[in-house]
Amino acid sequence: MPEGTSRLRLKVLGSAAGGGFPQWNCRCPVCALAWEGDPRVRRRTQASIAVSADGEQWALINCAPEILSQIQSLPALQPQHGRRHTPVASVLLTNADIDHVAGLLSLREGQAFTLNATAAIHDVLRANPVFDVLAAGLVERRHIGLDAPFELVAGVTASLFPVPGKIALYLEAGEIAAHGEVATALEGEQTVGVELSDGISRLLFIPGCARMTEALAARIAGADAVLFDGTVWQDDEMIRAGVGSKTGARMGHMAMSGAAGSIAAFADLDVGRKIYVHINNTNPVLIEGSAERRAAEAAGWEIAEDGMDVVPAGATMETAS
Ligand code: MLT
Ligand code: MN
Ligand code: ZN
């Protein structure tokens, strides 16, 4: 890490994958524990983080359906003065999945902010007129190129990089009609990771990743913290749990365990903090003390919870939230 004190701070607003935890219609073994109030599991909203360098202006990275309750539980994101105000200066999207974009519909009350995404992700929003509730004169839709650093929010530089993934679930029918199948590990503008820096520390946010590549491993090495795709423990976990027919790979998510899993992929990468986010409700790492949770922790991983602070080593955290 370069000299100086990093002011970069990151808050996990939501740590669950699509559906949240527990999911409204699910009684898989892990959701059942949550519905029964078992103290080994905690409820989680869908995946989103907030980032700031000054504690006053914040960027949201992804905007979950629960954005309102996430703001209600974090004072730093609440209106601070006047009749209308928000500390949320910008939003950045890493793909067009429902769990990452649906919250935009709750940010519609005539408030100015900048909406950052790749052209491919903006195209998906443009094709859905419901997002036109974001007033054109107030919400600037900024197109961000890959590997083109930009100021995400005061004092924070972000850079987008391609991550193997697929198009959003609700676009799959059109893709199958056009091409007969869905590519699950595309590298381009539809799924990206975010590198965040204040010039001193470097944090990576990669909530969806279909597989590790050499380029990705090289980027991850040496980061102060990486928040990474923790959707499933085992590739066929949803099938085993009796709640679906899809593997993690089919959904564009690499598993944590196994030879091709993220625990193995990160084993030789030097990373300050390794944190799983976007955790599916079937994933047994959600259960404190489970064998899977202990295995992930023994490999140096933290399991994100809603409200978790990620502050680089030596950084200041003087905001009151
Ligand atoms: C995913 O991460 O695979 C998606 O969020 C699935 C979904 O849209 O529910
Ligand atoms: Mn998702
Ligand atoms: Zn479940």
Side-chain angles (χ1 to χ4, degrees):
M1 201 192 289
E3 290 297 304
T5 303
S6 176
R7 294 175 56 82
L8 199 56
R9 71 222 39 202
L10 186 159
K11 264 283 194 196
V12 176
L13 302 179
S15 50
F21 176 65
Q23 180 174 307
W24 73 287
N25 62 346
C26 193
R27 276 193 68 86
C28 73
V30 192
C31 283
L33 291 178
W35 294 126
E36 286 153 13
D38 191 303
R40 292 173 297 167
V41 295
R42 282 185 186 225
R43 294 178 178 210
R44 286 168 166 83
T45 59
Q46 293 167 79
S48 168
I49 63 170
V51 177
S52 181
D54 62 10
E56 287 176 17
Q57 291 197 54
W58 291 79
L60 305 181
I61 307 187
N62 293 330
C63 195
E66 300 94 333
I67 186 61
L68 175 59
S69 64
Q70 292 169 346
I71 289 172
Q72 287 170 346
S73 35
L74 181 57
L77 294 186
Q78 298 168 8
Q80 305 291 315
H81 48 74
R83 288 288 185 265
R84 287 289 172 97
H85 173 258
T86 176
V88 177
S90 66
V91 178
L92 168 63
L93 304 174
T94 64
N95 65 19
D97 284 2
I98 301 266
D99 51 345
H100 294 164
V101 305
L104 289 171
L105 301 177
S106 297
L107 303 185
R108 69 185 177 282
E109 325 289 354
Q111 186 66 47
F113 65 92
T114 306
L115 180 56
N116 299 293
T118 62
I121 296 171
H122 276 301
D123 285 348
V124 176
L125 301 185
R126 287 267 178 236
N128 285 275
V130 69
F131 290 105
D132 294 345
V133 293
L134 301 173
L138 291 171
V139 177
E140 183 202 348
R141 301 196 190 197
R142 188 156 48 147
H143 287 221
I144 308 295
L146 298 175
D147 292 305
F150 66 102
E151 185 173 70
L152 175 64
V153 69
V156 182
T157 300
S159 182
L160 306 183
F161 52 92
V163 176
K166 66 168 187 64
I167 53 165
L169 180 59
Y170 57 86
L171 298 173
E172 286 191 6
E175 183 73 3
I176 290 167
H179 301 110
E181 59 175 5
V182 175
T184 53
L186 280 175
E187 288 179 63
E189 285 198 352
Q190 70 294 317
T191 304
V192 298
V194 186
E195 182 165 315
L196 299 162
S197 171
D198 64 348
I200 296 170
S201 55
R202 196 166 70 90
L203 307 184
L204 299 185
F205 181 58
I206 308 171
C209 183
R211 61 184 174 81
M212 185 58 70
T213 64
E214 270 182 41
L216 201 51
R219 190 181 289 271
I220 287 169
D224 296 291
V226 179
L227 287 84
F228 195 77
D229 185 341
T231 308
V232 290
W233 171 257
Q234 211 170 9
D235 189 48
D236 60 356
E237 156 185 317
M238 290 179 63
I239 300 166
R240 286 167 182 260
V243 296
S245 57
K246 281 187 190 163
T247 59
R250 173 62 186 78
M251 298 187 296
H253 299 291
M254 65 194 284
M256 295 178 175
S257 66
S262 52
I263 290 176
F266 274 73
D268 297 327
L269 301 178
D270 172 34
V271 174
R273 282 177 78 179
K274 299 183 286 191
I275 303 168
Y276 279 126
V277 290
H278 191 278
I279 305 160
N280 197 56
N281 58 75
T282 50
N283 192 327
V285 302
L286 290 170
I287 309 169
E288 280 171 37
S290 68
E292 296 83 357
R293 172 73 157 255
R294 283 187 276 117
E297 287 171 347
W301 286 86
E302 298 172 66
I303 308 300
E305 292 180 356
D306 294 12
M308 179 182 198
D309 285 307
V310 180
V311 184
T316 52
M317 186 78 193
E318 73 273 9
T319 41
S321 45

